[in-house]
Amino acid sequence: MTDEPTVLFVCVHNAGRSQMAAGYLRALGGDRVEVLSAGSAPKGSINPVAVEAMAEEGIDISANTPKILTVDAVRESDVVITMGCGDACPIFPGKRYEDWELDDPAGQGIDAVRPIRDDIRTRIEALIADLLPERGAA
């Protein structure tokens, strides 16, 4: 186990919200945090509008692939952030759990996805400030 906190983002398809959150945390947190993402019912590919919205921020998530949520991913995480996956996430004592209520970008156009992306960024900046208070956002 590393000294860096491990954060797992979970949404149903692991194709939009959780991928955007993971992209932001990797970009803003750098090597100070380990980032995982998964879905309870992952899609075959990342939502292209989520990829476009993140590219506007200079963050490339196009090579990411949706992954299935595993008990091991939850077990190795310090913080588990769910986004509309309901009770699909296993619960382990001693873990920090947060549920972020965010609109689903699936089937939405870029104008609808940008506010979701911006909300995620704000939440990620607050998460970094909380997890890594000595340095804040990069």
Side-chain angles (χ1 to χ4, degrees), residues 11 14 23 32 38 52 62 65 70 78 90 97 109 112 118 133 137:
C11 68
N14 192 221
R32 299 174 294 154
E52 178 184 355
S62 63
T65 55
T70 66
D78 300 299
Y97 291 89
D118 295 345

Side-chain angles (χ1 to χ4, degrees), residues 102-103 109-121:
L102 297 162
D103 290 335
I110 190 68
D111 289 334
V113 173
R114 283 183 186 120
I116 299 168
R117 174 203 65 200
D118 295 345
D119 187 4
I120 290 170
R121 181 181 181 124

Side-chain angles (χ1 to χ4, degrees), residues 10-12 17 82-86 99-102:
V10 183
C11 68
V12 175
R17 294 168 288 192
T82 58
M83 304 170 184
C85 65
D99 184 48
W100 291 358
E101 290 189 27
L102 297 162

